[in-house]
Each structure stands twice: as structure tokens, then as C-alpha cells.
Amino acid sequence: MKIVKILKSTLLATGLLATAMAQAADYRIGLVVKAQGIGFFEAAYEGAKEASAEIKDNVEIIYTGPVTPTAEGQIEIVNSLISQRVDAIVISANDTDALVPILKKAQKRGIKVVSFDSGVAAPGRAVHLNPSSNALIGQINVDLAAEAVKAANSEKGDIAILSATPTATNQNIWIGEMKKVLPQHPELNLVATVYGDDLADKSYRETQGLIKTYPNLKAIVAPTSVGIVAAAQAVTDMGKTGEIYVTGLGLPSELAGHVESGAVKSFAIWNPIDLGYAATTIAYNLVTGNATKTEVDMGRMGTAQLAEDGSAAMAKPFIYNSSNVAKFAKIF
């Protein structure tokens, strides 16, 4: 009888072990965002989960990020993911250079590293996925600013840029591209670039400062999903709706109300769901060896063409305004 019980217990334990092994992930990918609680990155996570469900292997997505957008917080998280022996890390960097040493350590452990949205310097990753062409993003932001100045019934006007952190890779590149395009619009006068550190309260205060300092301000360009919302709210609260327009890059769900109020005439963004999906698919294909030095598959987003430094662009940004923002606000 005891032998039978032992056999039954052994068979039960074996069965449970087999079930656990069957449920275990074939691959684990850490998705490290700039900070927790940002709608853009939560939408990217939805895309990552979509990619995971689509991939034939069992892929676990570990979604994580620091409480505040600092390089130090991301370094701690990456170190933890290395200890967990993940197969890949997909990261939007708070600092292009500060993360390189810890990500080089990850790569030495065989972990594939993909940066997206805000890039890591080339030694710290295999691929960087820009959401769009940097030049095109700069062009669109300036074009939107010009449209905003016209909406303010002004032939000429001062504009200002409200960025995220001074070290944010993507922000600095886009601002550089904007400055290249500005000579095409002599009616625009760039008076200042300020930084809200991707914090709503600081971005709000910086916008107030701009409005008080520059009486001829007609448009504020915020190429950050946190900053653009805070700026629009500040314009509204200061009674400047219709006199100063906010534009830049943001989420339809967070800006629909501001478009309706008139604080924002139009803005642009790529689809963060697509971005998370594409970056995760790239990471998986790197892990499984399904990539070359010149291209890698992005699933339904097509094929990423890799430059010599491993960078690629996903797609063109899309412009949102009163004609379509409500529709897309239901999505992200």
C-alpha cells in the first residue's frame, strides 16, 4: 500500500512538474520603459503582448520601469533583468550613454538588446528602432508650429520648445532636426527651449514661465507625450486658448479634450502599440537568429532596414486633429 501511495505521489509530482515546464516561457523579454504610469509606454506594452501572442514560441514579456525617468533607475532594473537571465531587453533610454556599460554587460551574457523610441548608443545595443525618420519628425513638428501660428491669426510669431530631459536622446535629435527645418519658415522665431523632465508638474510650470516671459508667443512645441498635455493645460488655465496653441507629439486619448477646447489644433504621433509590437518582434528575431546585418522582420509592420549602426525607422508619424482625434482616442 505504501509503495502504491509513493508511486501515486511520484506520478502526481511528475505531472505537476511537466505541467509547469509546459507552461514555462521559451523566451523572456524585458520591456524597460522610461518611467511607470506613462500612457505611451503602456500602449507600447499592449503591442508587445500582441507580438508575444502572435509568435509561435511561448514568449513572456516582463514590463518594468523606474518610478521617475532617470538613468540610475533603469540601470538598477537592467541589472535585475541580467540576474533573471532574460533572453532580450527592449528599452527606451533615459540617457543615451549612461546605460551603455550595464547593457554591454547584458550583451556579454548573451542577452540581445534593442532600444526603441529613445535610443542607446550603438555599443550598448544591437538594434535601435526609431518610431519614424528623425528628419521627418523634425519637419512635422515645425510644420505643425507654422500651422499653429496661422491659427493664432498671426503672420509671424514666437515659438518655444518644451522638451523632456536635457539628456533624452530622441528629444535632442528631434530638436536638432527642427532647427535645420526652421529656415524654411521665416515667419517662426524660436525664442527658447525648456525642459519639463517628463514630469507633468514641472512641464506645467515651465509652460507658465514661457507664457509670462514671451508676450508674443504663439505656439509651444512639445515633442513629449507628458509635456504636451501639461502645456495645453497651462495654456487653458492661463486663459490663453486661441492666442497660444500647443502642438508636438502626444497621445490622442490624452489630447482629445484639449483639441476640443481649442488649446491644441493638431499634433502628431506614431502608434505606440505598433512600436511596442515591432520592437518586441525584432528582439525575438534577434534571439532566434532570424535577422541579418541589414534587415530584420517586424511582423505586420514589415521589414526594418538596418543602417550600419544598427538603427532603423518604423513608419511615418500621423497627424491628429478635430477630424480624427476622437476615433483614435478610443484606441490609445
Side-chain angles (χ1 to χ4, degrees):
M1 182 66 69
K2 288 182 179 180
I3 294 175
V4 172
K5 287 183 177 180
I6 290 171
L7 285 172
K8 286 182 177 179
S9 298
T10 302
L11 289 170
L12 178 61
T14 303
L16 290 172
L17 179 62
T19 301
M21 290 178 67
Q23 293 175 343
D26 297 314
Y27 302 102
R28 293 185 300 155
I29 298 175
L31 178 59
V32 184
V33 299
K34 288 184 176 180
Q36 297 176 22
I38 296 177
F40 179 91
F41 292 114
E42 290 173 357
Y45 178 40
E46 292 302 314
K49 289 190 289 186
E50 179 189 340
S52 173
E54 183 180 291
I55 294 168
K56 62 180 180 180
D57 292 318
N58 187 354
V59 176
E60 177 187 355
I61 306 298
I62 303 171
Y63 179 67
T64 182
V67 176
T68 56
T70 64
E72 293 77 12
Q74 288 187 316
I75 288 169
E76 289 183 12
I77 288 170
V78 170
N79 202 39
S80 173
L81 291 172
I82 292 171
S83 298
Q84 295 176 55
R85 299 180 180 179
V86 297
D87 299 285
I89 293 173
V90 176
I91 186 168
S92 180
N94 284 321
D95 190 300
T96 183
D97 297 314
L99 288 157
V100 169
I102 190 66
L103 290 172
K104 286 177 71 175
K105 177 182 175 182
Q107 291 179 104
K108 287 180 181 178
R109 301 288 179 89
I111 297 171
K112 302 298 183 182
V113 178
V114 175
S115 61
F116 76 106
D117 179 51
S118 184
V120 175
R125 46 76 178 168
V127 172
H128 172 61
L129 182 63
N130 290 302
S132 182
S133 158
N134 290 320
L136 187 55
I137 293 169
Q139 179 76 57
I140 284 181
N141 274 300
V142 173
D143 289 347
L144 290 173
E147 181 183 316
V149 169
K150 286 183 180 179
N153 296 316
S154 178
E155 293 182 2
K156 294 184 178 182
D158 291 346
I159 68 169
I161 297 171
L162 171 63
S163 185
T165 63
T167 58
T169 317
N170 55 348
Q171 300 283 308
N172 290 333
I173 292 173
W174 298 337
I175 291 169
E177 293 295 335
M178 287 174 64
K179 290 178 178 178
K180 292 179 185 177
V181 176
L182 276 171
Q184 300 175 14
H185 291 274
E187 75 276 19
L188 303 180
N189 178 37
L190 177 62
V191 294
T193 299
V194 297
Y195 301 92
D197 292 345
D198 256 354
L199 299 172
D201 55 347
K202 186 176 181 183
S203 298
Y204 184 92
R205 293 194 302 272
E206 291 290 347
T207 303
Q208 288 180 314
L210 288 171
I211 294 171
K212 293 175 182 177
T213 304
Y214 301 100
N216 294 319
L217 192 65
K218 298 299 180 184
I220 298 171
V221 184
T224 153
S225 61
V226 175
I228 192 172
V229 175
Q233 190 61 55
V235 166
T236 301
D237 291 348
M238 295 182 74
K240 296 295 183 178
T241 302
E243 297 177 38
I244 301 172
Y245 285 91
V246 177
T247 189
L249 306 177
L251 299 177
S253 61
E254 296 177 347
L255 289 170
H258 292 297
V259 171
E260 184 178 353
S261 74
V264 176
K265 180 174 176 57
S266 58
F267 64 97
I269 197 68
W270 36 90
N271 189 328
I273 297 172
D274 290 346
L275 189 58
Y277 169 91
T280 300
T281 304
I282 287 173
Y284 169 75
N285 284 323
L286 289 175
V287 170
T288 55
N290 295 317
T292 70
K293 291 183 178 180
T294 58
E295 62 181 32
V296 57
D297 182 63
M298 296 188 292
R300 62 174 171 77
M301 296 305 299
T303 301
Q305 302 297 323
L306 303 177
E308 289 185 9
D309 66 349
S311 62
M314 183 184 72
K316 295 179 180 179
F318 185 79
I319 295 176
Y320 302 85
N321 51 38
S322 59
S323 71
N324 58 19
V325 69
K327 172 186 174 182
F328 285 97
K330 297 176 183 178
I331 303 173
F332 69 98

